[in-house]
Amino acid sequence: MTLDDSTARSLTELTIVDLTLLLAEELPAAWATHMPYQQKTFNYFNNVDDQAAPLKNATGPYQTRWLLIDEHTGTHVDAPAHFIPEVKTGLPHAADVGSVTVEQIALNQLIGPAVVIDIPANLPDSAPGVSPTITKDFIAKWERDNGELTVGDIVLFRTGWDKRYLPGSAGLEYCYRALVTRDGPGWPAPDSNAMRHIMDRGVTCVGTDGVSMGSCHDGAGVHYAGLEARVAFIEALGNLDRLPVRGAVFCFAPLKIARGTGAPGRAFAWVPQL
């Protein structure tokens, strides 16, 4: 099968926008209470003696590195198994979907028309160690002004939180201060009722440029609500300010990890050229 001329022309009329956070050891790529992201050189072109990081040539004249990475590092997707236990465990919230891991998420669930919901900076209830709440009423009002969400839409919360994804000590504002020391503001996050409202519209994929779909002070509830219904959560997006409210096509391509509770990947969107 080959692309016809009209399809090829339509592709050239679109701009691809990268919505993925960069992974680097100096960036706050990992959840603040999980193992940090690390990237180390396993083999180098030749031996280089260095007190801090010696390079070794043991397997040939090439360079390769190994990664230490949590499944929920950087821009990533949550699978149901992340919060929903398997039925056989007998634990609270156990359900059949507890056996659904990331390699079982259908790719067509992760691609579709993007609907970008702007979240104001002055959303109420923000406090140190507390996330301001995106409520059902807020979503309903947004729909009255912008049109209802529909089946197949991919809802993306544009909070601007990715601007805090910075190297070094400045990056503590991204997750650490809200989650660990609790002396910094939390990222905006929907509550369970807001998520159920979105799900009632037939939406099965929701993303955010916040650290997590759950709040920094009580993240479990919204994960139970969405993941129990097999909604895919795309967390820690970036550059949503480059998307229109409607008109872009969103795609997330996760790593295919056996038995994964989630997986990092590449998020991007096709945007019509103005």
Side-chain angles (χ1 to χ4, degrees):
M1 180 178 178
T2 58
L3 295 176
D4 59 29
D5 289 343
S6 62
T7 302
R9 282 197 302 272
S10 66
L11 290 175
T12 63
E13 294 167 358
L14 298 172
T15 298
I16 295 180
V17 176
D18 190 356
L19 306 174
T20 318
L21 296 181
L22 179 69
L23 298 186
E25 292 184 49
E26 65 271 21
L27 290 167
W31 188 248
T33 57
H34 288 189
M35 67 176 68
Y37 169 77
Q38 293 186 13
Q39 178 179 338
K40 303 299 181 185
T41 300
F42 172 75
N43 189 76
Y44 195 63
F45 303 101
N46 58 281
N47 293 325
V48 178
D49 292 329
D50 184 86
Q51 180 69 19
L55 300 175
K56 300 300 180 183
N57 174 256
T59 60
Y62 61 91
Q63 180 177 193
T64 188
R65 297 174 181 175
W66 57 263
L67 308 179
L68 177 68
I69 188 168
D70 187 277
E71 293 174 328
H72 302 268
T73 297
T75 305
H76 65 275
V77 64
D78 286 354
H82 183 36
F83 266 80
I84 311 303
E86 293 183 88
V87 171
K88 64 184 179 183
T89 66
L91 294 169
H93 297 281
D96 289 340
V97 295
S99 61
V100 177
T101 47
V102 73
E103 79 279 19
Q104 300 175 56
I105 298 176
L107 291 180
N108 60 6
Q109 186 177 354
L110 306 177
I111 183 170
V115 178
V116 182
I117 299 180
D118 282 302
I119 307 302
N122 62 348
L123 203 65
D125 302 325
S126 178
V130 177
S131 288
T133 304
I134 303 169
T135 64
K136 174 183 175 180
D137 289 344
F138 178 89
I139 301 297
K141 181 182 184 304
W142 184 93
E143 288 183 297
R144 289 194 294 273
D145 295 337
N146 297 275
E148 284 193 0
L149 304 173
T150 61
V151 174
D153 284 343
I154 294 182
V155 173
L156 304 174
F157 292 119
R158 179 163 55 198
T159 73
W161 201 260
D162 57 314
K163 301 300 183 286
R164 300 169 187 251
Y165 191 75
L166 299 168
S169 59
L172 296 176
E173 298 286 343
Y174 183 70
C175 181
Y176 187 86
R177 290 190 60 196
L179 186 69
V180 179
T181 59
R182 297 194 177 277
D183 60 354
W187 55 89
D191 62 16
S192 300
N193 288 332
M195 187 56 60
R196 291 189 183 97
H197 177 80
I198 292 169
M199 291 159 50
D200 287 345
R201 299 297 195 208
V203 173
T204 62
C205 184
V206 185
T208 179
D209 61 7
V211 182
S212 171
M213 196 65 66
S215 67
C216 64
H217 62 279
D218 183 21
V222 74
H223 281 89
Y224 291 141
L227 299 182
E228 282 178 341
R230 297 189 66 151
V231 173
F233 287 166
I234 314 295
E235 299 173 325
L237 290 161
N239 297 326
L240 292 184
D241 56 351
R242 296 182 59 188
L243 301 188
V245 173
R246 296 181 188 269
V249 175
F250 175 87
C251 180
F252 181 75
L255 294 176
K256 195 173 183 178
I257 300 174
R259 301 172 296 281
T261 67
R266 199 69 179 258
F268 55 95
W270 292 276
V271 181
Q273 296 181 14
L274 300 178

